[in-house]
Amino acid sequence: MAARTVRVELGWRSGAGVPDVDASALLLVSGKVRSDTDFVFYNQPEHASGSVRHEGKRAAGGGAEDGAENAGGAMTDVGTVDLERVEPVVEQIVLAASVDGGDFGRVPGLYIRVVDADSGTEIARYDSTDASVETAFVLGALYRRQGEWKFRAVGQGYGSGLEGLATDFGITVEEPELPAAVEPPAPVVVGESPALAKVAEPPAEAVVARQPAAAVAAPTANVSLTKITLTKDSPTVSLAKQGGTSGTLRVNLNWQVRKQNTGWGAKLGRAVGKRAASDAPVALDLALLTQEDGDLIVQREARYLDPLLGISMQQTADEAYGWGMKWTPAVK
């Protein structure tokens, strides 16, 4: 392919009962990753070389180049690959997909396509039509041949999810936390009376001087596949309990575009809404991060705030939560 940078688009149709879909990419040398940093996905959105980036989900909203795929409920998860910045040692880039809370048999309209990022021209496309119980897929791959980049459709499914797919290519996935170890029972107490009670002692053993242990390098953190979702049933999440005690917190805002009415009802709605929109903007607080006893807490808010005339949305949020910030008019 002649393109210097390509956009990789994973697409499907969302709706009731359709699980969430995520795109990912793995940079391979001799069929395996060199390290966990060669895995680009929602928790690690950019490769160290800057050649592969995960841009995130988008609701296809009627863009000209997306065509009829944009009809209600169409979703995409997009990434970009700068082919000129891919390290020469990298032989192929695997393009994968996984589902969260279901299988691909419940995901309609699944496809992957590669588009020239500069011209918008579609270079290649693969539609998956026979998925059933798979929870992860290698849909395609970008690979080098005789100094040129090409695309190959694959369609290999996994029943073990993103964890199984990633492990298959050499990624070390973070294990779930194990329950705390059970403490051994207290030592047996012997004696004729409390005053004479003694703790039973083990037989004497030869004392061997121990050499100081050699310094051991701290193990490299494994890749975490955990995603945190705030719902009405579970509005608060502790990041410490989720293992998110360091690094970068990436927040995704997802929504679904609904088809707009075009009849007289829509005209009436626009006429009524025009006055409301002219009064003041409405702010929506989605989540609140607080620190309690050293633990970082994420709390679902979904709280609407109506700023007064001349008051910014930020100051309105400050007053609503009682943070006590000082606000002064901006000077240009």
Side-chain angles (χ1 to χ4, degrees):
M1 61 183 71
R4 296 178 300 175
T5 302
V6 296
R7 189 175 79 247
V8 180
E9 180 182 290
L10 172 68
W12 69 97
R13 292 196 304 276
S14 63
V18 177
D20 193 21
V21 182
D22 295 291
S24 56
L26 300 103
L27 289 74
L28 306 185
V29 177
S30 300
K32 297 286 184 180
V33 298
R34 295 163 294 178
S35 70
D36 292 347
T37 59
D38 284 340
F39 186 26
V40 179
F41 69 120
Y42 48 80
N43 276 353
Q44 194 165 263
E46 184 171 1
H47 190 259
S49 67
S51 59
V52 182
R53 295 193 309 275
H54 178 236
E55 305 288 350
K57 293 185 178 67
R58 302 174 185 174
E65 68 183 47
D66 293 316
E69 295 277 350
N70 288 329
M75 289 290 297
T76 60
D77 199 2
V78 180
T80 57
V81 181
D82 187 337
L83 298 173
E84 293 185 343
R85 296 182 66 178
V86 177
E87 299 152 293
V89 70
V90 174
E91 299 164 348
Q92 63 175 320
I93 302 173
V94 167
L95 307 174
S98 58
V99 290
D100 188 10
D103 54 55
F104 276 107
R106 297 164 53 192
V107 179
L110 181 67
Y111 71 90
I112 190 170
R113 68 172 188 154
V114 180
V115 177
D116 187 324
D118 295 324
S119 67
T121 304
E122 182 175 284
I123 299 171
R125 178 178 175 125
Y126 169 65
D127 292 84
S128 177
T129 58
D130 56 354
S132 56
V133 298
E134 297 87 355
T135 51
F137 257 110
V138 174
L139 292 173
L142 297 168
Y143 66 99
R144 297 183 197 261
R145 175 171 291 179
Q146 297 179 350
E148 294 185 0
W149 283 100
K150 299 180 180 294
F151 173 81
R152 176 178 65 250
V154 178
Q156 178 183 352
Y158 289 77
S160 50
L162 183 59
E163 179 178 354
L165 185 152
T167 303
D168 201 26
F169 289 102
I171 296 294
T172 304
V173 177
E174 185 177 85
E175 295 289 340
E177 290 187 8
L178 298 176
V182 179
E183 295 185 0
V188 179
V189 177
V190 296
E192 296 181 355
S193 67
L196 301 177
K198 293 182 180 180
V199 177
E201 299 179 356
E205 296 181 357
V207 179
V208 180
R210 295 185 179 180
Q211 298 295 329
V216 179
T220 303
N222 297 334
V223 171
S224 172
L225 303 181
T226 302
K227 289 198 294 185
I228 296 173
T229 303
L230 301 177
T231 63
K232 292 181 180 179
D233 297 330
S234 181
T236 304
V237 172
S238 164
L239 293 186
K241 293 180 180 179
Q242 294 286 339
T245 55
S246 63
T248 301
L249 176 65
R250 185 176 186 226
V251 180
N252 285 333
L253 173 62
N254 299 323
W255 66 94
Q256 182 175 344
V257 176
R258 297 183 178 179
K259 186 177 180 181
Q260 301 295 322
N261 294 326
T262 57
W264 64 270
K267 296 179 180 178
L268 176 61
R270 286 195 293 270
V272 174
K274 187 178 297 183
R275 173 173 175 78
S278 64
D279 292 338
V282 177
L284 171 59
D285 287 349
L286 297 172
L288 179 67
L289 274 70
T290 57
Q291 191 170 24
E292 300 178 8
D293 298 327
D295 187 8
L296 190 59
I297 303 294
V298 184
Q299 180 173 326
R300 179 180 183 271
E301 290 289 293
R303 179 179 178 182
Y304 287 91
L305 303 176
D306 191 2
L308 299 175
L309 183 64
I311 304 297
S312 68
M313 290 184 287
Q314 292 84 355
Q315 185 174 351
T316 301
D318 171 35
E319 294 175 354
Y321 287 98
W323 293 327
M325 296 183 181
K326 295 182 179 180
W327 297 86
T328 56
V331 179
K332 294 185 178 180

